[in-house]
Amino acid sequence: MTEDQIRTVAVEGYRSLRKLVLPLGRLTVVTGANGAGKSSLYRSLRLLSEVALGGAVGALAREGGLSSTLWAGPEVHGRAVREGRTPVQGTVRTGPVALRLGFASDGLGYAIDLGLPQVPGAFPLDPEIKVESVWTGPVARPSTLVAERHGPAVRLQGIDGGWSTPVATLRPFESVLTEVVDPVGAPELVDVREQLRSWRFYDQFRTDPGAPARSVQVGTRTPVLAHDGSDLAAALETVRDLGRGDELDEAVARAFPGARLTVTQDDGRFEVTLRQHGLLRPLRAAELSDGTLRYLLWIAALLSPRPPRLLVLNEPETSLHPELLPALASLVARAATVTQVLVVTHSQPLMDALGERDVVGPRGLLAEGDVLRVELLKELGATVVAGQEGPFDVPAWHWPKR
């Protein structure tokens, strides 16, 4: 488990996430009713990760631009609206149009502020990056800033406390994380970039008859399962080849007692097969039930020999029989002993199973304080965290000013 643990993620102005500051534990389980904002949280984290890959502006454009993704309610709710005496009405905007994303870890924090283009051009759906900020420690303060960008201008703080300008200007769609590459002069930027690039997301693997995971595939060492599961056989064989075969066999046996998973090879092409008690021959991937195949995909994802800095799972219980959820929970908890894990789920049985703490992973025991459960609620159309009744209940967070 990395020592530089992410403590907080913050989102403002993205869909129902009007002003959300979310604490993170070693294993964070996010729950809530339909429409509470769980999917928006998942998508906002993916969007934040895309910044380090140079894809955030394009991703927002594909969602319809800021006009389609911004918080759709008024800037403020009057007292009469909060008390239910009058309907929601439009208000005069006093602040800039902004979509803000950020995170803070033990060592470093990062925030980005995206807004509307100042001059309409040929790409009307592209937002502009207005402000970016990198700081040391869990909370942004003027004294902890190491890099900041306002409009096109960038400046970095050197080890002598002075400020430098490594680039003349940045274009509105360029991030400091992709354009300022200086491991010596800006090591903090490099660290933030690599951390965000390592975040890994899995969301409802395909298991239909035409799913890539059911096909025979060319096999090569695959320490990270593809998002569509197309390299499942190679990923499972890599888990075994790199020393986690016993954990793989245990995960299969826990879900399917007496079963044995093998990866067959024919002229460099790999295929998953599963031998089950009572059958005369092993079943090929094309013959497996949707739930069985999906569970094997989760084994490959969660036993990855190359764990990310943050692993985000969206509704991993989909298509799984309730009897498989304790086995899935054991896999998730084991993964949380080597990396931070955030699980978005509807499933109460999975939540209950994740609450059990007797899981020993490669780097020790998952303890009681390592598991954090967060419930999302809707209030006047905005997503809020249950229990955050006042300012002292919300993790410390400060957005950089434009």
Side-chain angles (χ1 to χ4, degrees):
M1 176 66 182
T2 176
E3 295 181 359
D4 191 14
Q5 181 170 317
I6 301 167
R7 298 297 181 182
T8 310
V9 293
V11 185
E12 185 172 308
Y14 182 77
R15 299 191 182 277
S16 68
L17 309 183
R18 182 186 173 208
K19 291 183 179 180
L20 188 74
V21 182
L22 188 74
L24 293 190
R26 198 170 189 176
L27 170 58
T28 306
V29 184
V30 179
T31 68
N34 288 332
K38 300 186 302 299
S39 295
S40 293
L41 173 63
Y42 177 83
R43 292 164 72 176
S44 69
L45 291 176
R46 292 202 71 154
L47 187 61
L48 179 55
S49 178
E50 284 282 350
V51 175
L53 299 170
V57 169
L60 278 171
R62 288 190 292 274
E63 291 191 46
L66 284 183
S67 60
S68 296
T69 56
L70 284 173
W71 158 248
E75 191 173 7
V76 295
H77 285 112
R79 181 176 178 180
V81 173
R82 295 196 302 270
E83 294 176 351
R85 293 185 283 109
T86 62
V88 176
Q89 298 176 353
T91 58
V92 177
R93 177 173 291 277
T94 59
V97 174
L99 190 164
R100 300 183 175 101
L101 307 164
F103 79 94
S105 67
D106 293 323
L108 291 168
Y110 170 77
I112 183 171
D113 179 343
L114 299 111
L116 296 173
Q118 292 183 344
V119 180
F123 303 96
L125 296 180
D126 284 6
E128 287 188 355
I129 300 175
K130 303 293 187 179
V131 177
E132 290 179 277
S133 181
V134 176
W135 61 89
T136 57
V139 181
R141 296 185 179 92
S143 60
T144 62
L145 282 178
V146 294
E148 62 178 357
R149 174 257 188 91
H150 287 272
V154 179
R155 65 175 190 158
L156 306 178
Q157 188 172 55
I159 57 176
D160 60 354
W163 291 88
S164 64
T165 55
V167 294
T169 60
L170 287 183
R171 288 173 286 192
F173 55 88
E174 295 174 332
S175 166
V176 295
L177 298 185
T178 57
E179 302 304 314
V180 182
V181 183
D182 186 353
V184 177
E188 295 87 358
L189 281 178
V190 175
D191 190 34
V192 168
R193 177 171 63 247
E194 294 309 308
Q195 179 168 175
L196 286 174
R197 286 180 175 178
S198 80
W199 291 9
R200 199 172 300 160
F201 300 83
Y202 289 108
D203 181 14
Q204 300 184 8
F205 293 114
R206 281 184 57 191
T207 56
D208 58 272
R214 295 189 181 277
S215 303
V216 179
Q217 302 286 344
V218 174
T220 184
R221 280 190 174 84
T222 307
V224 178
L225 179 71
H227 297 295
D228 63 358
S230 58
D231 48 12
L232 172 63
L236 289 170
E237 188 64 15
T238 303
V239 169
R240 189 180 300 281
D241 182 68
L242 295 183
R244 304 192 71 177
D246 290 344
E247 295 175 77
L248 190 157
D249 293 335
E250 177 188 341
V252 171
R254 186 180 179 95
F256 313 112
R260 173 72 179 177
L261 182 142
T262 58
V263 175
T264 62
Q265 304 181 30
D266 182 12
D267 195 26
R269 299 178 68 82
F270 288 15
E271 183 177 21
V272 172
T273 61
L274 186 68
R275 182 174 291 278
Q276 295 179 298
H277 180 69
L279 298 182
L280 295 175
R281 63 172 180 83
L283 297 179
R284 301 169 57 191
E287 302 173 282
L288 298 176
S289 70
D290 288 0
T292 299
L293 181 61
R294 191 178 300 274
Y295 181 75
L296 297 182
L297 285 158
W298 283 123
I299 291 178
L302 293 164
L303 292 183
S304 169
R306 186 183 295 164
R309 298 283 286 274
L310 176 67
L311 179 61
V312 187
L313 314 178
N314 191 29
E315 298 182 11
E317 70 275 8
T318 301
S319 295
L320 294 184
H321 190 278
E323 292 181 355
L324 289 180
L325 296 183
L328 174 63
S330 180
L331 274 171
V332 172
R334 185 180 295 270
T337 67
V338 296
T339 188
Q340 270 190 278
V341 180
L342 188 150
V343 181
V344 177
T345 180
H346 282 102
S347 171
Q348 185 63 49
L350 179 59
M351 286 184 265
D352 293 341
L354 288 171
E356 299 177 4
R357 297 174 294 276
D358 56 343
V359 176
V360 179
R363 299 187 189 174
L365 181 69
L366 191 65
E368 180 177 0
D370 292 332
V371 182
L372 178 63
R373 178 171 172 176
V374 176
E375 182 181 4
L376 300 183
L377 306 172
K378 271 284 187 69
E379 291 183 359
L380 293 174
T383 297
V384 298
V385 177
Q388 289 186 353
E389 304 295 339
F392 296 106
D393 300 321
V394 182
W397 182 266
H398 303 294
W399 292 109
K401 295 182 179 180
R402 288 191 182 181

